[in-house]
Amino acid sequence: LWPNFPWVDIILLTFMLKIKMVRLGKNHFPFYRIVVAEEHSKLTGRPAQSLGFHNPKTNETEIDIQGIKSWIKKGAQMTASVAKLCKI
């Protein structure tokens, strides 16, 4: 299927980590957990680490900024919504 190039194996085995928000809660009462997970993982999949939460109804937010900075140093990227929420 793929040509026999050495860099193809590296690309196929590398997974991009994202710091993203996973929606929880029920209809009309959203609740978001901020997690580190693979870019294309399912929302119900197991995250690498949970870094906080956000409740848009009560505007309550708790974020582990040191944890986010350490994951960014390891190569994880934040989604736009998490970056806006963290204001980093």
Side-chain angles (χ1 to χ4, degrees):
L1 179 69
W2 288 93
N4 195 9
F5 295 120
W7 53 268
V8 172
D9 293 331
I10 295 170
I11 292 173
L12 292 176
L13 295 176
T14 304
F15 297 104
M16 177 62 73
L17 290 176
K18 289 276 189 174
I19 301 171
K20 58 185 180 179
M21 292 173 35
V22 175
R23 189 182 194 278
L24 301 171
K26 56 184 183 179
N27 291 343
H28 307 293
F29 294 99
F31 181 83
Y32 296 95
R33 183 174 292 152
I34 300 167
V35 300
V36 178
E38 291 180 21
E39 183 177 16
H40 298 293
S41 67
K42 293 182 180 180
L43 293 178
T44 57
R46 185 175 182 156
Q49 185 178 4
S50 179
L51 298 172
F53 66 88
H54 174 63
N55 187 349
K57 288 288 189 182
T58 62
N59 220 5
E60 182 182 2
T61 304
E62 182 179 313
I63 302 172
D64 180 13
I65 299 294
Q66 295 298 331
I68 288 178
K69 288 181 180 178
S70 70
W71 277 103
I72 289 173
K73 286 181 185 176
K74 294 176 187 176
Q77 296 179 350
M78 284 194 288
T79 58
S81 56
V82 174
K84 185 177 176 182
L85 194 62
C86 294
K87 298 176 184 140
I88 292 179

